Amino acid sequence: MDMHRVATVAYRGAPAFELAIPGEVFEQEALGGRYRHELVAGEPGALRTSSGWRIATDGGLERLAAADTIIVPGWRDLDEAPHPRLHDALAEAHRRGARVVSLCLGAFALADAGILDGRRATTHWAHASELAARHPAVEVDAAALYIDEGSVLTSAGVAAGIDLCLHLVRRDHGQAMANTVARRLIVAAHRDGGQAQYIERPVPPLTPSALGDTLQWMLGNLERPLELADLAARCHLSIRQFVRRFKDTTGTTPYAWLLEQRVRAAQELLEATDLPVEDIARRCGFGTAAVLRLHFGRNVRRTPTAYRAAFQS
DNA sequence: AGCTAGAGCCGCCATC
DNA sequence: CCGATGGCGGCTCTAG
């Protein structure tokens, strides 16, 4: 596969944490140089992070013309419009088909460039309503951890940027490669649910919960028919209450979560084995290959066979 | 592609 | 009074 150029845009007052994420992910040794990452100055003059570190860049905005993926980390001040040259460079990059990605408040810069109009997008939950108010044409989803609209991707607050960058690796090089990078970084290869879990419970409970155990059990038993009544009984809750608790912790409904996990399991089997699609469907809890294809297509936007051809090593 | 039985989901409301 | 709970009814979605 060709080497993929990733450019992260730096500017005065950029948060160091978010600025550092793309480099940490895309320059991982395990990726074997599949990406080349560089830091690009989004505005003239000396640049420092919000914490005062001096930023050394590889060049100016003209370098975006050669980038396949452009990443805009959190913007410093919502009351200040991005530099006009950055605005134009983003719009132009999008026009020529580059992949444009925002972390956290970077979504405001994308929206400003008109890239998010008519698309779904997310940002830090504390500023999601502001984004929606300023840009009515953008469909803001404050509950998502990140949103993939193909050539335009946005992520929620701060650390969700890691989830999004890992998602890009998964999209480009498959689940196994994303897992490897996640292991090296000691982060979850895929966090389930959306921002809800962080809003509702800033501090996750330290005691193991019956619901957590049940989630874990479900992951190990995806091939079984998992019904609400059984799952609820397993943690001694009514169905009604089970669904409520489930949504509080994962940000999604039991069935939607289950389908996502099953598709994910199917992806791994497609990559790692030569099993026929029909068998993989069974093993992952889909009644038939047809059902697998339906949900696989919705989640991955590819057919199982095409996915296997692209990622099987 | 359309049909149907059944499951999932969720607003509503009485209850604790 | 409040928040948590759980049953009901009906709409939506899924699997076959």
PDB file of all heavy atoms in Angstrom, chain A residues 34 41 44 69 92 110 114-115 132 137-138 140 147 160 178 210 213 215 217 226 240 247 293 312:
ATOM      1  N   ARG A  34       3.954   3.245   7.061  1.00  0.00           N
ATOM      2  CA  ARG A  34       2.814   3.351   6.140  1.00  0.00           C
ATOM      3  C   ARG A  34       2.309   4.789   6.034  1.00  0.00           C
ATOM      4  O   ARG A  34       1.672   5.167   5.063  1.00  0.00           O
ATOM      5  CB  ARG A  34       1.686   2.434   6.586  1.00  0.00           C
ATOM      6  CG  ARG A  34       1.941   0.969   6.327  1.00  0.00           C
ATOM      7  CD  ARG A  34       0.748   0.156   6.809  1.00  0.00           C
ATOM      8  NE  ARG A  34       0.834  -1.242   6.430  1.00  0.00           N
ATOM      9  CZ  ARG A  34       1.551  -2.151   7.069  1.00  0.00           C
ATOM     10  NH1 ARG A  34       2.282  -1.798   8.105  1.00  0.00           N
ATOM     11  NH2 ARG A  34       1.545  -3.410   6.673  1.00  0.00           N
ATOM     12  N   ALA A  41       2.461  24.701   9.972  1.00  0.00           N
ATOM     13  CA  ALA A  41       2.065  25.949  10.635  1.00  0.00           C
ATOM     14  C   ALA A  41       0.798  26.504   9.983  1.00  0.00           C
ATOM     15  O   ALA A  41       0.775  26.791   8.798  1.00  0.00           O
ATOM     16  CB  ALA A  41       3.187  26.966  10.552  1.00  0.00           C
ATOM     17  N   PRO A  44       1.123  32.482  10.423  1.00  0.00           N
ATOM     18  CA  PRO A  44       2.509  32.966  10.473  1.00  0.00           C
ATOM     19  C   PRO A  44       2.930  33.309  11.898  1.00  0.00           C
ATOM     20  O   PRO A  44       2.104  33.404  12.788  1.00  0.00           O
ATOM     21  CB  PRO A  44       2.461  34.226   9.603  1.00  0.00           C
ATOM     22  CG  PRO A  44       1.037  34.662   9.593  1.00  0.00           C
ATOM     23  CD  PRO A  44       0.216  33.429   9.767  1.00  0.00           C
ATOM     24  N   THR A  69      -4.271  13.208   4.348  1.00  0.00           N
ATOM     25  CA  THR A  69      -5.138  13.427   5.506  1.00  0.00           C
ATOM     26  C   THR A  69      -4.670  14.668   6.250  1.00  0.00           C
ATOM     27  O   THR A  69      -3.475  14.831   6.490  1.00  0.00           O
ATOM     28  CB  THR A  69      -5.091  12.217   6.462  1.00  0.00           C
ATOM     29  OG1 THR A  69      -5.642  11.078   5.808  1.00  0.00           O
ATOM     30  CG2 THR A  69      -5.884  12.494   7.738  1.00  0.00           C
ATOM     31  N   GLU A  92     -10.047  24.157   0.238  1.00  0.00           N
ATOM     32  CA  GLU A  92      -9.421  23.669  -0.983  1.00  0.00           C
ATOM     33  C   GLU A  92      -9.042  22.186  -0.862  1.00  0.00           C
ATOM     34  O   GLU A  92      -9.279  21.394  -1.777  1.00  0.00           O
ATOM     35  CB  GLU A  92      -8.174  24.517  -1.302  1.00  0.00           C
ATOM     36  CG  GLU A  92      -7.275  23.970  -2.402  1.00  0.00           C
ATOM     37  CD  GLU A  92      -8.019  23.721  -3.708  1.00  0.00           C
ATOM     38  OE1 GLU A  92      -9.063  24.378  -3.940  1.00  0.00           O
ATOM     39  OE2 GLU A  92      -7.563  22.856  -4.486  1.00  0.00           O
ATOM     40  N   LEU A 110     -13.368  23.429  10.880  1.00  0.00           N
ATOM     41  CA  LEU A 110     -13.943  22.728   9.733  1.00  0.00           C
ATOM     42  C   LEU A 110     -15.290  23.336   9.345  1.00  0.00           C
ATOM     43  O   LEU A 110     -15.568  23.566   8.162  1.00  0.00           O
ATOM     44  CB  LEU A 110     -14.118  21.235  10.047  1.00  0.00           C
ATOM     45  CG  LEU A 110     -12.969  20.304   9.653  1.00  0.00           C
ATOM     46  CD1 LEU A 110     -11.651  20.767  10.220  1.00  0.00           C
ATOM     47  CD2 LEU A 110     -13.269  18.882  10.088  1.00  0.00           C
ATOM     48  N   GLY A 114     -16.836  25.521   5.943  1.00  0.00           N
ATOM     49  CA  GLY A 114     -18.001  25.025   5.206  1.00  0.00           C
ATOM     50  C   GLY A 114     -17.973  23.535   4.920  1.00  0.00           C
ATOM     51  O   GLY A 114     -18.840  23.001   4.230  1.00  0.00           O
ATOM     52  N   ILE A 115     -16.987  22.846   5.476  1.00  0.00           N
ATOM     53  CA  ILE A 115     -16.805  21.425   5.171  1.00  0.00           C
ATOM     54  C   ILE A 115     -17.851  20.550   5.832  1.00  0.00           C
ATOM     55  O   ILE A 115     -18.166  19.455   5.363  1.00  0.00           O
ATOM     56  CB  ILE A 115     -15.392  20.983   5.626  1.00  0.00           C
ATOM     57  CG1 ILE A 115     -14.341  21.702   4.800  1.00  0.00           C
ATOM     58  CG2 ILE A 115     -15.226  19.493   5.500  1.00  0.00           C
ATOM     59  CD1 ILE A 115     -12.930  21.447   5.281  1.00  0.00           C
ATOM     60  N   ALA A 132     -23.723  23.794  17.016  1.00  0.00           N
ATOM     61  CA  ALA A 132     -25.013  23.653  16.326  1.00  0.00           C
ATOM     62  C   ALA A 132     -25.663  25.019  16.097  1.00  0.00           C
ATOM     63  O   ALA A 132     -26.256  25.275  15.050  1.00  0.00           O
ATOM     64  CB  ALA A 132     -25.944  22.751  17.132  1.00  0.00           C
ATOM     65  N   ALA A 137     -26.524  24.265   9.450  1.00  0.00           N
ATOM     66  CA  ALA A 137     -26.495  23.242   8.401  1.00  0.00           C
ATOM     67  C   ALA A 137     -25.741  21.996   8.839  1.00  0.00           C
ATOM     68  O   ALA A 137     -25.739  20.989   8.144  1.00  0.00           O
ATOM     69  CB  ALA A 137     -25.872  23.810   7.118  1.00  0.00           C
ATOM     70  N   VAL A 138     -25.092  22.059   9.997  1.00  0.00           N
ATOM     71  CA  VAL A 138     -24.340  20.907  10.495  1.00  0.00           C
ATOM     72  C   VAL A 138     -25.204  20.107  11.458  1.00  0.00           C
ATOM     73  O   VAL A 138     -25.835  20.662  12.354  1.00  0.00           O
ATOM     74  CB  VAL A 138     -23.063  21.371  11.235  1.00  0.00           C
ATOM     75  CG1 VAL A 138     -22.266  20.172  11.717  1.00  0.00           C
ATOM     76  CG2 VAL A 138     -22.217  22.251  10.332  1.00  0.00           C
ATOM     77  N   VAL A 140     -25.204  18.194  14.394  1.00  0.00           N
ATOM     78  CA  VAL A 140     -24.296  17.933  15.520  1.00  0.00           C
ATOM     79  C   VAL A 140     -24.823  16.797  16.393  1.00  0.00           C
ATOM     80  O   VAL A 140     -25.980  16.804  16.795  1.00  0.00           O
ATOM     81  CB  VAL A 140     -24.116  19.202  16.384  1.00  0.00           C
ATOM     82  CG1 VAL A 140     -23.208  18.909  17.569  1.00  0.00           C
ATOM     83  CG2 VAL A 140     -23.551  20.337  15.547  1.00  0.00           C
ATOM     84  N   ILE A 147     -17.205  10.745  14.615  1.00  0.00           N
ATOM     85  CA  ILE A 147     -18.122  10.498  13.506  1.00  0.00           C
ATOM     86  C   ILE A 147     -17.336  10.420  12.213  1.00  0.00           C
ATOM     87  O   ILE A 147     -16.523  11.293  11.910  1.00  0.00           O
ATOM     88  CB  ILE A 147     -19.202  11.594  13.425  1.00  0.00           C
ATOM     89  CG1 ILE A 147     -20.155  11.440  14.617  1.00  0.00           C
ATOM     90  CG2 ILE A 147     -19.969  11.507  12.116  1.00  0.00           C
ATOM     91  CD1 ILE A 147     -21.234  12.492  14.670  1.00  0.00           C
ATOM     92  N   ALA A 160     -10.722  11.657  22.911  1.00  0.00           N
ATOM     93  CA  ALA A 160     -11.455  10.982  21.844  1.00  0.00           C
ATOM     94  C   ALA A 160     -10.679  11.073  20.536  1.00  0.00           C
ATOM     95  O   ALA A 160     -10.903  10.288  19.611  1.00  0.00           O
ATOM     96  CB  ALA A 160     -12.853  11.582  21.677  1.00  0.00           C
ATOM     97  N   ALA A 178      -4.741  -1.915  13.808  1.00  0.00           N
ATOM     98  CA  ALA A 178      -5.213  -0.951  14.812  1.00  0.00           C
ATOM     99  C   ALA A 178      -5.015  -1.516  16.216  1.00  0.00           C
ATOM    100  O   ALA A 178      -4.615  -0.789  17.133  1.00  0.00           O
ATOM    101  CB  ALA A 178      -6.677  -0.612  14.567  1.00  0.00           C
ATOM    102  N   ALA A 210     -22.372  -5.429  38.144  1.00  0.00           N
ATOM    103  CA  ALA A 210     -23.016  -6.570  37.503  1.00  0.00           C
ATOM    104  C   ALA A 210     -23.166  -6.307  36.011  1.00  0.00           C
ATOM    105  O   ALA A 210     -22.990  -7.193  35.188  1.00  0.00           O
ATOM    106  CB  ALA A 210     -24.384  -6.815  38.133  1.00  0.00           C
ATOM    107  N   ASP A 213     -19.842  -6.867  34.216  1.00  0.00           N
ATOM    108  CA  ASP A 213     -19.608  -8.301  34.064  1.00  0.00           C
ATOM    109  C   ASP A 213     -20.427  -8.867  32.913  1.00  0.00           C
ATOM    110  O   ASP A 213     -19.954  -9.686  32.132  1.00  0.00           O
ATOM    111  CB  ASP A 213     -19.982  -9.044  35.358  1.00  0.00           C
ATOM    112  CG  ASP A 213     -19.014  -8.698  36.484  1.00  0.00           C
ATOM    113  OD1 ASP A 213     -17.962  -8.108  36.184  1.00  0.00           O
ATOM    114  OD2 ASP A 213     -19.323  -9.008  37.644  1.00  0.00           O
ATOM    115  N   LEU A 215     -21.573  -7.235  30.293  1.00  0.00           N
ATOM    116  CA  LEU A 215     -21.013  -6.782  29.014  1.00  0.00           C
ATOM    117  C   LEU A 215     -19.859  -7.693  28.602  1.00  0.00           C
ATOM    118  O   LEU A 215     -19.758  -8.127  27.457  1.00  0.00           O
ATOM    119  CB  LEU A 215     -20.501  -5.348  29.137  1.00  0.00           C
ATOM    120  CG  LEU A 215     -21.552  -4.250  29.158  1.00  0.00           C
ATOM    121  CD1 LEU A 215     -20.917  -2.896  29.426  1.00  0.00           C
ATOM    122  CD2 LEU A 215     -22.285  -4.211  27.831  1.00  0.00           C
ATOM    123  N   TRP A 217     -19.306 -10.723  29.577  1.00  0.00           N
ATOM    124  CA  TRP A 217     -19.827 -12.045  29.262  1.00  0.00           C
ATOM    125  C   TRP A 217     -20.422 -12.079  27.845  1.00  0.00           C
ATOM    126  O   TRP A 217     -20.217 -13.024  27.094  1.00  0.00           O
ATOM    127  CB  TRP A 217     -20.898 -12.444  30.291  1.00  0.00           C
ATOM    128  CG  TRP A 217     -21.500 -13.781  30.023  1.00  0.00           C
ATOM    129  CD1 TRP A 217     -20.985 -14.994  30.375  1.00  0.00           C
ATOM    130  CD2 TRP A 217     -22.713 -14.044  29.318  1.00  0.00           C
ATOM    131  NE1 TRP A 217     -21.808 -15.996  29.944  1.00  0.00           N
ATOM    132  CE2 TRP A 217     -22.869 -15.450  29.290  1.00  0.00           C
ATOM    133  CE3 TRP A 217     -23.680 -13.241  28.717  1.00  0.00           C
ATOM    134  CZ2 TRP A 217     -23.966 -16.067  28.676  1.00  0.00           C
ATOM    135  CZ3 TRP A 217     -24.769 -13.851  28.106  1.00  0.00           C
ATOM    136  CH2 TRP A 217     -24.899 -15.243  28.093  1.00  0.00           C
ATOM    137  N   LEU A 226     -28.553 -13.637  22.263  1.00  0.00           N
ATOM    138  CA  LEU A 226     -28.552 -12.878  23.510  1.00  0.00           C
ATOM    139  C   LEU A 226     -29.819 -12.037  23.578  1.00  0.00           C
ATOM    140  O   LEU A 226     -29.963 -11.067  22.847  1.00  0.00           O
ATOM    141  CB  LEU A 226     -27.297 -11.992  23.583  1.00  0.00           C
ATOM    142  CG  LEU A 226     -25.964 -12.743  23.500  1.00  0.00           C
ATOM    143  CD1 LEU A 226     -24.800 -11.771  23.459  1.00  0.00           C
ATOM    144  CD2 LEU A 226     -25.825 -13.710  24.661  1.00  0.00           C
ATOM    145  N   ARG A 240     -36.682  -3.197  31.731  1.00  0.00           N
ATOM    146  CA  ARG A 240     -36.749  -1.737  31.652  1.00  0.00           C
ATOM    147  C   ARG A 240     -35.515  -1.078  32.242  1.00  0.00           C
ATOM    148  O   ARG A 240     -34.904  -0.180  31.673  1.00  0.00           O
ATOM    149  CB  ARG A 240     -38.008  -1.268  32.412  1.00  0.00           C
ATOM    150  CG  ARG A 240     -38.348   0.166  32.194  1.00  0.00           C
ATOM    151  CD  ARG A 240     -38.893   0.356  30.783  1.00  0.00           C
ATOM    152  NE  ARG A 240     -39.120   1.752  30.522  1.00  0.00           N
ATOM    153  CZ  ARG A 240     -38.170   2.629  30.254  1.00  0.00           C
ATOM    154  NH1 ARG A 240     -36.919   2.224  30.230  1.00  0.00           N
ATOM    155  NH2 ARG A 240     -38.460   3.880  30.014  1.00  0.00           N
ATOM    156  N   LYS A 247     -27.821   2.062  28.651  1.00  0.00           N
ATOM    157  CA  LYS A 247     -27.634   3.318  27.910  1.00  0.00           C
ATOM    158  C   LYS A 247     -26.781   4.302  28.690  1.00  0.00           C
ATOM    159  O   LYS A 247     -25.981   5.034  28.116  1.00  0.00           O
ATOM    160  CB  LYS A 247     -28.989   3.947  27.587  1.00  0.00           C
ATOM    161  CG  LYS A 247     -29.738   3.206  26.513  1.00  0.00           C
ATOM    162  CD  LYS A 247     -30.881   4.023  25.984  1.00  0.00           C
ATOM    163  CE  LYS A 247     -30.370   5.179  25.143  1.00  0.00           C
ATOM    164  NZ  LYS A 247     -31.474   5.991  24.601  1.00  0.00           N
ATOM    165  N   ARG A 293     -24.090  -9.711   6.148  1.00  0.00           N
ATOM    166  CA  ARG A 293     -23.810  -8.741   5.081  1.00  0.00           C
ATOM    167  C   ARG A 293     -24.539  -7.427   5.308  1.00  0.00           C
ATOM    168  O   ARG A 293     -23.982  -6.352   5.135  1.00  0.00           O
ATOM    169  CB  ARG A 293     -24.200  -9.316   3.715  1.00  0.00           C
ATOM    170  CG  ARG A 293     -23.220 -10.343   3.222  1.00  0.00           C
ATOM    171  CD  ARG A 293     -23.375 -10.681   1.764  1.00  0.00           C
ATOM    172  NE  ARG A 293     -22.605 -11.891   1.492  1.00  0.00           N
ATOM    173  CZ  ARG A 293     -23.104 -13.107   1.560  1.00  0.00           C
ATOM    174  NH1 ARG A 293     -24.390 -13.275   1.838  1.00  0.00           N
ATOM    175  NH2 ARG A 293     -22.348 -14.161   1.340  1.00  0.00           N
ATOM    176  N   GLN A 312      -6.665  -9.030   4.630  1.00  0.00           N
ATOM    177  CA  GLN A 312      -6.104 -10.320   5.047  1.00  0.00           C
ATOM    178  C   GLN A 312      -4.605 -10.333   4.768  1.00  0.00           C
ATOM    179  O   GLN A 312      -4.167  -9.963   3.688  1.00  0.00           O
ATOM    180  CB  GLN A 312      -6.788 -11.463   4.298  1.00  0.00           C
ATOM    181  CG  GLN A 312      -6.511 -12.813   4.930  1.00  0.00           C
ATOM    182  CD  GLN A 312      -7.447 -13.870   4.382  1.00  0.00           C
ATOM    183  OE1 GLN A 312      -7.580 -13.992   3.168  1.00  0.00           O
ATOM    184  NE2 GLN A 312      -8.095 -14.597   5.260  1.00  0.00           N
TER     185      GLN A 312
END
